[in-house]
Amino acid sequence: GAGVSQSPSNKVTEKGKDVELRCDPISGHTALYWYRQSLGQGLEFLIYFQGNSAPDKSGLPSDRFSAERTGGSVSTLTIQRTQQEDSAVYLCASSLYSGSGGGEQYFGPGTRLTVT
Amino acid sequence: QQQVKQSPQSLIVQKGGISIINCAYENTAFDYFPWYQQFPGKGPALLIAIRPDVSEKKEGRFTISFNKSAKQFSLHIMDSQPGDSATYFCAASKAASKLTFGTGTRLQVTL
């Protein structure tokens, strides 16, 4: 009965470096979401996967951000050439399914990213 | 453009009292309204959720009241306890897709 897990829990990186954040959803959950939580912007949506495809990428703030999901399970969020404004907690959530009538989202503990 | 407005920003309630947090939304296409509880250093935890076909939902000490015509919904925490001290977020979504969150309410329950 494991929940959503994320790794690493904390990441400190230098400005300009690339980082990869990992999310393991609840087993059997077909929908996976990435959100970002920061003091100035609150909780904001980044990208959503249904299976391995991403029907909604509208929240990605720039082309430095990308994400993929493989095997309908693990997802990786990649931030290239990190900037200080990327510092935030990156949260992953999963739901059994999406669409009308569905999908309570369950969140992982997050990855705290600090760009120095 | 803030699609979900939440108030108050912070709230102090005495133990045993009722905590009330309010949210208002703009997008009439929203059809799912959850509340999340977040403790420091943790991810948000789903507390209770409602769909617009009902006006109230109760789970234990937590109740959501929903007013579709006013586009408002609220969380009531009855018999508030110090362990309820956390940040609460309302949210809304259309067809169970991405969540749009309110700005959060920091609740402190005093002894």
Side-chain angles (χ1 to χ4, degrees):
Chain A
V4 177
S5 61
Q6 294 185 245
S7 60
S9 56
N10 282 284
K11 177 73 176 178
V12 180
T13 190
E14 292 180 351
K15 177 182 173 181
K17 301 275 186 167
D18 298 352
V19 295
E20 285 189 352
L21 312 180
R22 177 186 169 108
C23 172
D24 280 272
I26 294 172
S27 177
H29 279 197
T30 65
L32 185 148
Y33 306 79
W34 284 98
Y35 295 86
R36 180 168 71 173
Q37 185 171 28
S38 58
L39 282 176
Q41 301 297 323
L43 269 158
E44 53 180 349
F45 166 80
L46 297 177
I47 186 170
Y48 146 61
F49 288 90
Q50 178 58 51
N52 291 334
S53 62
D56 190 348
K57 307 179 183 179
S58 63
L60 294 178
S62 75
D63 58 9
R64 295 186 296 105
F65 288 72
S66 63
E68 66 174 10
R69 189 179 185 195
T70 56
S73 181
V74 172
S75 177
T76 302
L77 177 69
T78 300
I79 309 174
Q80 296 179 310
R81 305 181 303 281
T82 52
Q83 304 295 311
Q84 288 186 329
E85 61 263 28
D86 300 334
S87 295
V89 176
Y90 289 81
L91 292 159
C92 176
S94 71
S95 65
L96 190 57
Y97 59 96
S98 62
S100 295
E104 291 93 354
Q105 293 184 28
Y106 298 93
F107 282 80
T111 293
R112 180 175 296 277
L113 176 65
T114 304
V115 182
T116 62
Chain B
Q1 180 188 3
Q2 189 180 352
Q3 292 200 58
V4 180
K5 295 183 180 180
Q6 184 172 346
S7 63
Q9 188 174 0
S10 62
L11 182 61
I12 300 175
V13 173
Q14 280 196 323
K15 179 182 175 182
I18 302 173
S19 304
I20 301 174
I21 305 170
N22 300 298
C23 284
Y25 63 97
E26 298 173 4
N27 188 344
T28 55
F30 286 149
D31 60 2
Y32 175 68
F33 303 89
W35 284 88
Y36 283 84
Q37 178 189 57
Q38 186 176 32
F39 293 103
K42 305 292 185 183
L46 180 63
L47 201 56
I48 186 172
I50 198 168
R51 299 187 191 279
D53 52 344
V54 296
S55 60
E56 186 175 281
K57 183 175 182 180
K58 183 177 181 179
E59 290 184 2
R61 296 185 294 110
F62 301 93
T63 299
I64 299 178
S65 296
F66 184 81
N67 186 330
K68 188 174 182 178
S69 61
K71 294 187 289 184
Q72 295 176 346
F73 58 111
S74 60
L75 176 70
H76 295 231
I77 306 174
M78 313 300 287
D79 187 27
S80 298
Q81 299 297 312
D84 296 332
S85 298
T87 300
Y88 292 81
F89 292 92
C90 63
S93 75
K94 171 186 172 184
S97 60
K98 64 185 178 186
L99 292 169
T100 299
F101 284 90
T103 50
T105 296
R106 182 171 292 184
L107 171 65
Q108 182 182 353
V109 181
T110 62
L111 294 171

